[in-house]
């Protein structure tokens, strides 16, 4: 479009004078129209630069003012009068009313031909239309190239950012950030923002507001303006994949830039679908490799070569991690999935696991086995941080515990083993840790279960029963037996730190001291003796092994 102010910069109009409505010079000119009859208003459609000699202009002041108001109501761009024999001077009523309405009124210099004005303005409008077409074609080529060449969503965000000169962010369907690019207009995004929208108004991440926003964007046909932001839903059919956000700033986006946003969301959808397809292929390769390794088989050479592309190193050291969904129906530690809901929950847990592995830049080598997700963690690729596996395990469990639709889980780890044959050993250890887990356990490492594992190898359960009764029988025989047993096990779990044990039980330290004095009297052995502490740790593990309840023969 061409504004009145820009039109006055054309050579043919440089000597034109503005007599009223200079505040409205930003009005858009759509085309020129020459009218010299009393029924001016009926021929106006909006956006015209009206050229007139004033031949048919009303002579009555009230009619003249009414005509100006009607032309303004039709969204006229401006009036260019050519004073001459028909209109000696611009009527004061015209100047006064046009100034009030901010409708530009212009006076042509002598010898200015209307034909020259229409030709110059028309040529400029065509030139601008052609420039828009060229820009649209360039935008289309760049967006199409992004669809083919983009390596990730950040490349797509940068392309949209470069074309719109605005800050851009891409989020998933739950408003989690996936990609971002800073705009060239200085409207940078705060680093803590979830998206560019947060620079103006915070994005609702949960609750009714988030659901309402999600539905509004899902149903919108094209870009949606939201208080200084532009949002486009990223969709694949009826599935909502995410959102593309643009921070408009003070200057609203033009029609071409809005189309860039819409096409950018389509390219993002194609990229996400391509990522899904690639992930599905990679997952099948990963599943096949991991399945063979945990069975102790050596995969085919071509499969190993393909798995190298996923980050698997046949000569590397690996730790096997197992995420087991705990069954509320008490079907045991291992059980087959029998409903769509159970498959969905396992897949949801796997998505959380893959996301956390991706954040730490670890290869995603996983497979499924019944209610369990089995994953290989590369020791060589782990972050160089002390105790990383344990901190990762706690972080994983916290994320899974807070994820909707995921039941309670138990995360178990084997120890690190080298080479292809070592994976099956690590799998056996993680599986063994699952079998040795107590009901309250949530994260277990096989290396912490050496005593429990050794005791579990003893087939003579009668001897274990006798040792249990011999050691703990006097404590359990009295009326306070169960309370004292609970106190004693809290002390063992606390590393024999009395204050920590008291805090775990929620009792006063004096109460704790009194109970332990009674335990010590019944055992006839001092609790500070290292041998006594060792024996109690063994007895606690024996109690766990003698399921469901150890028998006392005293």
């Amino acid at each position: 479009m061409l504004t009145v102010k820009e039109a006055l910069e054309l050579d043919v109009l440089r000597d034109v004078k503005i007599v009223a409505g200079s505040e409205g010079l930003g009005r858009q000119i759509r085309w020129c129209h020459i009218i010299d009859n009393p029924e001016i208003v009926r021929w106006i459609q909006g956006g015209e630069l009206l050229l007139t000699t004033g031949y048919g202009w009303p002579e009555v002041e009230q009619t003249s003012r009414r005509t100006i108001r009607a032309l303004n109501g039709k969204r006229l761009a401006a009036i260019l009068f050519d004073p001459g024999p028909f209109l000696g001077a611009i009527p004061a009523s015209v100047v006064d009313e046009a100034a009030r309405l901010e409708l530009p009124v212009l006076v042509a210099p002598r010898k200015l031909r209307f034909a020259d004005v229409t030709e110059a303005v028309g040529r400029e409008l065509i030139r601008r239309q052609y420039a828009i077409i060229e820009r649209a074609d360039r935008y289309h080529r760049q967006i199409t190239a992004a669809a083919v060449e983009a390596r990730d969503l950040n490349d797509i965000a940068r392309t949209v950012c470069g074309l719109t000169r605005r800050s851009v962010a891409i989020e998933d369907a739950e408003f989690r950030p996936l990609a971002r690019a800073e705009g060239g207009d200085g409207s940078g995004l705060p680093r803590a923002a979830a998206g560019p929208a947060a620079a103006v108004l915070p994005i609702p991440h949960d609750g009714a507001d988030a659901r309402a926003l999600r539905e509004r964007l899902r149903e919108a046909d094209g870009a949606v303006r939201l208080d200084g932001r532009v949002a486009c839903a990223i969709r694949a059919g009826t599935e909502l994949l995410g959102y593309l956000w643009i921070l408009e700033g003070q200057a609203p986006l033009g029609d071409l830039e809005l189309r860039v946003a819409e096409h950018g969301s389509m390219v993002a959808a194609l990229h996400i679908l391509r990522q899904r397809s690639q992930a599905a292929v990679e997952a099948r390769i990963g599943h096949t490799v991991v399945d063979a390794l945990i069975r102790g088989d050596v995969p085919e050479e071509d499969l190993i070569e393909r798995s190298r592309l996923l980050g698997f190193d046949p000569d590397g050291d690996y730790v096997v991690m197992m995420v087991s969904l705990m069954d509320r129906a008490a079907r045991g530690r291992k059980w087959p999935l029998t409903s769509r809901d159970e498959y969905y929950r396992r897949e949801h847990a796997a998505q959380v696991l893959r996301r956390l592995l991706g954040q730490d830049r670890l290869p995603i080598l996983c497979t499924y086995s019944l209610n369990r997700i089995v994953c290989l963690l590369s020791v060589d690729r782990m972050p160089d941080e002390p105790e990383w596996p344990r901190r990762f395990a706690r972080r994983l469990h916290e994320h899974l515990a807070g994820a909707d639709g995921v039941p309670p889980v138990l995360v178990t780890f084997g120890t690190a083993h080298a080479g292809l044959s070592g994976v099956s050993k690590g799998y056996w250890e993680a599986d063994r840790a699952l079998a040795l887990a107590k009901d309250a356990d949530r994260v277990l490492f096989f290396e912490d279960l050496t005593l429990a594992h050794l005791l579990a190898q003893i087939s003579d359960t009668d001897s274990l029963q006798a040792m249990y009764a011999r050691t703990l029988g006097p404590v359990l025989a009295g009326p306070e037996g169960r309370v004292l047993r609970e106190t004693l096990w809290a002390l063992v779990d606390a590393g024999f730190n009395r204050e920590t044990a008291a805090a775990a039980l929620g009792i006063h330290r004096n109460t704790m001291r009194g109970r332990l004095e009674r335990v010590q009297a019944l055992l006839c052995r001092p609790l500070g003796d290292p041998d006594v502490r060792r024996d109690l740790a063994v007895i606690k593990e024996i109690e766990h092994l003698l399921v469901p309840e150890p028998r006392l023969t005293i």
Side-chain angles (χ1 to χ4, degrees):
M1 284 294 186
L2 176 69
T3 67
V4 177
K5 181 179 180 180
E6 291 167 338
L8 292 177
E9 295 173 359
L10 299 174
D11 289 340
V12 71
L13 295 174
R14 285 189 185 278
D15 295 329
V16 166
K17 294 181 180 179
I18 305 168
V19 297
S22 58
E23 297 86 352
L25 294 180
R27 295 190 183 210
Q28 301 281 341
I29 297 175
R30 191 165 56 87
W31 66 312
C32 292
H33 200 349
I34 303 173
I35 305 176
D36 265 325
N37 68 59
E39 297 182 345
I40 297 175
V41 176
R42 64 175 291 195
W43 299 102
I44 297 299
Q45 297 180 357
E48 295 94 342
L49 171 59
L50 173 61
L51 310 179
T52 180
T53 63
Y55 174 76
W57 195 265
E59 295 181 0
V60 179
E61 178 181 345
Q62 293 301 323
T63 305
S64 177
R65 288 180 179 273
R66 189 163 54 248
T67 300
I68 289 293
R69 289 195 295 271
L71 291 173
N72 184 70
K74 286 280 192 100
R75 302 187 306 279
L76 186 73
I79 307 174
L80 175 62
F81 284 103
D82 180 16
F86 308 113
L87 189 70
I90 308 301
S93 60
V94 171
V95 174
D96 180 60
E97 196 68 23
R100 187 179 65 83
L101 298 173
E102 298 181 358
L103 173 63
V105 175
L106 314 173
V107 177
R110 286 188 176 187
K111 299 182 180 180
L112 176 65
R113 298 187 303 177
F114 283 175
D116 294 336
V117 175
T118 57
E119 180 184 358
V121 172
R123 185 185 299 116
E124 180 63 17
L125 286 171
I126 292 172
R127 187 191 68 79
R128 291 181 176 235
Q129 290 280 356
Y130 185 72
I132 290 174
I133 293 172
E134 279 191 323
R135 206 167 87 208
D137 183 61
R138 186 175 75 253
Y139 286 3
H140 176 72
R141 289 198 305 271
Q142 292 189 37
I143 285 289
T144 303
V148 177
E149 300 170 1
R151 294 166 298 178
D152 53 30
L153 290 172
N154 281 304
D155 282 350
I156 296 173
R158 281 190 286 269
T159 298
V160 175
C161 172
L163 295 175
T164 61
R165 299 178 181 272
R166 301 292 195 283
S167 296
V168 175
I170 298 175
E171 298 177 337
D172 67 11
E174 301 301 324
F175 300 109
R176 290 186 292 258
L178 298 175
R180 62 186 291 142
E182 302 290 349
D185 60 350
S187 57
L189 305 180
R191 291 296 173 186
V200 180
L201 286 176
I203 292 287
H205 283 78
D206 49 32
D209 290 341
R211 289 193 295 272
L213 177 59
R214 187 181 297 115
E215 288 307 311
R216 179 180 176 185
L217 295 177
R218 183 197 301 273
E219 296 172 4
D221 183 16
V224 176
R225 278 193 162 95
L226 295 166
D227 301 299
R229 302 161 291 168
V230 169
C232 289
I234 301 172
R235 284 187 292 252
T238 58
E239 182 184 2
L240 183 63
L241 303 175
Y243 318 93
L244 185 147
W245 294 92
I246 300 179
L247 180 61
E248 279 193 297
Q250 298 300 318
L253 293 177
D255 291 339
L256 273 183
E257 285 73 24
L258 290 175
R259 290 177 61 188
V260 166
E262 294 168 1
H263 290 173
S265 67
M266 294 173 60
V267 171
L270 291 173
H271 186 82
I272 291 172
L273 292 176
R274 186 172 63 195
Q275 283 182 324
R276 282 187 177 180
S277 176
Q278 182 179 354
V281 173
E282 292 175 350
R284 283 195 293 272
I285 296 174
H287 288 183
T288 304
V289 171
V290 176
D291 282 338
L293 292 175
I294 64 177
R295 289 195 307 265
D297 301 336
V298 177
E300 299 292 337
E301 187 61 33
D302 65 329
L303 190 58
I304 291 180
E305 288 302 317
R306 280 186 289 165
S307 66
R308 287 180 187 271
L309 300 176
L310 305 181
F312 177 71
D313 179 7
D315 299 320
D317 292 357
Y318 285 90
V319 171
V320 175
M321 177 181 66
M322 190 180 295
V323 179
S324 303
L325 277 61
M326 305 305 289
D327 185 19
R328 295 186 179 92
R331 284 179 286 183
R333 298 287 164 80
K334 303 177 188 178
W335 40 274
L337 307 185
T338 57
S339 68
R340 180 179 297 179
D341 183 56
E342 289 175 342
Y343 278 99
Y344 167 78
R345 290 175 177 177
R346 188 182 68 179
E347 180 57 32
H348 196 169
Q351 289 177 0
V352 174
L353 171 60
R354 287 194 290 266
R355 186 172 73 248
L356 293 182
L357 290 173
Q359 290 175 2
D360 285 337
R361 301 181 182 277
L362 286 173
I364 299 174
L365 299 166
C366 301
T367 190
Y368 298 125
S369 175
L370 301 175
N371 61 313
R372 301 169 299 167
I373 306 164
V374 182
C375 180
L376 306 187
L377 300 179
S378 171
V379 175
D380 299 329
R381 302 279 292 276
M382 288 180 185
D384 188 17
E385 302 172 9
E387 297 294 316
W388 178 86
R390 294 181 184 270
R391 289 192 291 105
F392 178 82
R394 288 193 295 270
R395 184 156 57 99
L396 172 62
H397 190 272
E398 289 170 0
H399 278 74
L400 291 174
D404 293 335
V406 177
V409 298
L410 174 61
V411 184
T412 57
F413 287 77
T415 58
H417 293 278
L420 298 175
S421 61
V423 174
S424 61
K425 298 176 184 176
Y427 172 75
W428 181 89
E429 292 172 347
D431 188 58
R432 186 61 183 158
L434 176 66
L436 294 172
K438 303 178 178 68
D439 292 338
D441 288 332
R442 289 296 173 259
V443 176
L444 278 179
F445 286 79
F446 182 76
E447 63 191 38
D448 299 334
L449 300 172
T450 304
L451 177 59
H453 172 60
L454 292 175
L455 289 172
Q457 307 308 306
I458 300 175
S459 59
D460 186 0
T461 57
D462 290 339
S463 297
L464 295 178
Q465 288 277 8
M467 182 179 179
Y468 180 88
R470 201 166 46 245
T471 304
L472 207 61
V475 175
L476 294 175
E480 292 185 294
R482 294 195 177 275
V483 173
L484 296 179
R485 166 183 163 274
E486 178 186 6
T487 303
L488 188 57
W489 291 161
L491 183 68
V492 172
D493 290 338
F496 290 88
N497 184 304
R498 297 191 178 197
E499 291 190 1
T500 302
L505 292 171
I507 61 177
H508 194 273
R509 62 171 178 262
N510 291 338
T511 304
M512 185 73 181
R513 185 175 63 250
R515 289 183 185 179
L516 293 180
E517 287 176 354
R518 293 195 292 278
V519 168
Q520 196 165 245
L522 291 169
L523 292 177
C524 300
R525 301 175 70 186
L527 294 178
D529 188 333
D531 292 338
V532 174
R533 293 185 174 185
R534 180 202 59 214
D535 292 347
L536 289 174
V538 172
I539 293 300
K540 187 173 185 295
E541 292 299 332
I542 290 176
E543 180 182 275
H544 174 63
L545 292 172
L546 300 178
V547 179
E549 185 78 18
R551 300 188 306 275
L552 294 180
T553 55
I554 55 175

